[in-house]
Amino acid sequence: MRRIFLLAFLGLALAQATYTVAPGDTLYSIARRYGTTVEELMRLNGLESFLLQPGQVLKLPSGERTHVVAPGDTLFSLARRYGTTVEALMRLNGLSSPEIKVGQVLRLPEGSEAPKDPEGKEAPPAPEPEALDPESPLLRAVLRYLGMPYKYGANSPLALDCSAFVAQVYAELGVALPRTTKEQYQAFPPAEAPRPGDLVFFSFGGKEVDHVGIYLGRGVFAHASSYGSRVVIESLEAPFYRKVYRGARRVMASPEPPPAPSATP
C-alpha cells in the first residue's frame, strides 16, 4: 500500500502542468501569462487551429530552460553561450539543419548555464525580438477589442469587420485610416518585412486583398476573424495564413483625404 501511495504521489508531482481555457482567452494571452510563445503552446498541444474553446485543457511548458532566438544568434553562438554543443541543441529540438529564425524557442540541455556578463553575474534576459512593449498604446488598444464579435460590414460598439477593427484601433491613436481593406492597402507604402504596428493583408477569395489585421511582432497578428467570429490574435506563420498572405503596409501617417469634387459652373 505504501508503495502504491508513493507511486501515485510521484505521478502527481511529475504530471504535466495544464491550464483550463476561460472565456476570452487566446493562445497569445496564455503565452504571455506563462512566459512562452503561441508556437510552443501549439507544438506542445498538437494544435492545428488557433481558436480555443472554454473548458479546453492545454498543456503548459515544463520548467526546462529555453532560449528565444534573437537577431544574430546562431546554434554555434548559443552552444558556446550555454556550454553545450550544436549537435546537442539540434537533437534536443528535433532540428534537421542548423538554421534557426528570430523568435524561435529552443530548449536547452539540463545543466546548461545561464549567460554571464564579464563580471560573472547572470545576465538579464534579452528583450523579445520585434515585440511590442506590453504598455504600448497600440497593444493596449488591440487588447480592448479581443473577443468582440465579427460581422461583415459592421462598424459599431457591438460588432466589427476586419477593416473596421483596424481603423478603430488606429483611431484611438489619432490616426485616420480609410474604411475598407482595399483602400487601406492602397493608402500606405509596402513593408518588406512586417514590424509591430504594420497592417498585414490577405486574399481569401482570389488576387484582390480582402482581409486585414495588425502585426504585433514575434509572428503574431490581431484581426477580426470571420472564421472565429470574433477579434483574435493568431500566428502569421500558420500554413493557412502564409498561403493567402499578400504583404504588409506601414502606417507612416494619416493618409491624405481624397480631394473634394470640383463644383460645376
Side-chain angles (χ1 to χ4, degrees):
M1 178 65 71
R2 184 176 299 176
R3 177 182 175 84
I4 294 175
F5 177 81
L6 178 60
L7 290 175
F9 176 81
L10 288 175
L12 288 173
L14 297 175
Q16 174 75 51
T18 60
Y19 175 79
T20 302
V21 177
D25 279 341
T26 66
L27 282 176
Y28 181 75
S29 65
I30 296 171
R32 284 189 60 200
R33 185 180 308 170
Y34 289 97
T36 183
T37 66
V38 171
E39 291 76 12
E40 177 67 6
L41 287 175
M42 292 189 67
R43 182 195 65 77
L44 191 61
N45 291 277
L47 301 178
E48 297 182 356
S49 169
F50 302 94
L51 299 179
L52 302 176
Q53 299 295 330
Q56 183 177 352
V57 178
L58 297 178
K59 296 178 183 178
L60 298 174
S62 64
E64 65 185 349
R65 296 190 64 84
T66 60
H67 175 86
V68 180
V69 177
D73 280 346
T74 65
L75 281 183
F76 180 73
S77 67
L78 294 178
R80 290 189 59 188
R81 183 184 309 177
Y82 291 102
T84 184
T85 65
V86 171
E87 292 74 17
L89 288 174
M90 291 183 64
R91 182 174 62 255
L92 185 61
N93 291 278
L95 301 177
S96 58
S97 78
E99 296 182 0
I100 53 179
K101 61 181 181 179
V102 172
Q104 184 175 351
V105 178
L106 297 177
R107 287 181 283 178
L108 302 174
E110 291 185 9
S112 58
E113 296 182 356
K116 307 287 184 178
D117 67 14
E119 298 181 357
K121 300 177 182 179
E122 184 171 319
E128 294 181 345
E130 296 184 352
L132 280 173
D133 184 325
E135 298 301 318
S136 72
L138 175 61
L139 184 57
R140 293 173 68 179
V142 166
L143 295 178
R144 281 195 288 271
Y145 287 92
L146 278 185
M148 177 171 284
Y150 167 92
K151 184 178 180 181
Y152 179 75
N155 185 15
S156 76
L158 300 178
L160 296 166
D161 64 13
C162 64
S163 56
F165 161 67
V166 168
Q168 287 283 1
V169 167
Y170 268 97
E172 293 192 20
L173 306 180
V175 179
L177 268 59
R179 172 62 181 89
T180 69
T181 299
K182 185 176 180 180
E183 291 171 336
Q184 292 170 358
Y185 184 78
Q186 296 173 340
F188 302 103
E192 291 186 10
R195 295 178 183 173
D198 286 351
L199 305 185
V200 285
F201 293 88
F202 308 86
S203 177
F204 294 152
K207 294 183 179 180
E208 296 290 331
V209 295
D210 51 22
H211 190 68
V212 62
I214 301 174
Y215 187 67
L216 302 179
R218 297 198 67 188
V220 300
F221 72 106
H223 66 131
S225 170
S226 59
Y227 293 93
S229 300
R230 57 193 172 100
V231 175
V232 295
I233 295 175
E234 300 190 90
S235 174
L236 194 61
E237 297 299 317
F240 174 74
Y241 290 118
R242 291 178 65 180
K243 184 177 180 180
V244 296
Y245 180 62
R246 293 295 177 265
R249 292 289 186 270
R250 188 145 299 152
V251 182
M252 306 296 291
S254 179
E256 294 292 332
S262 57
T264 55

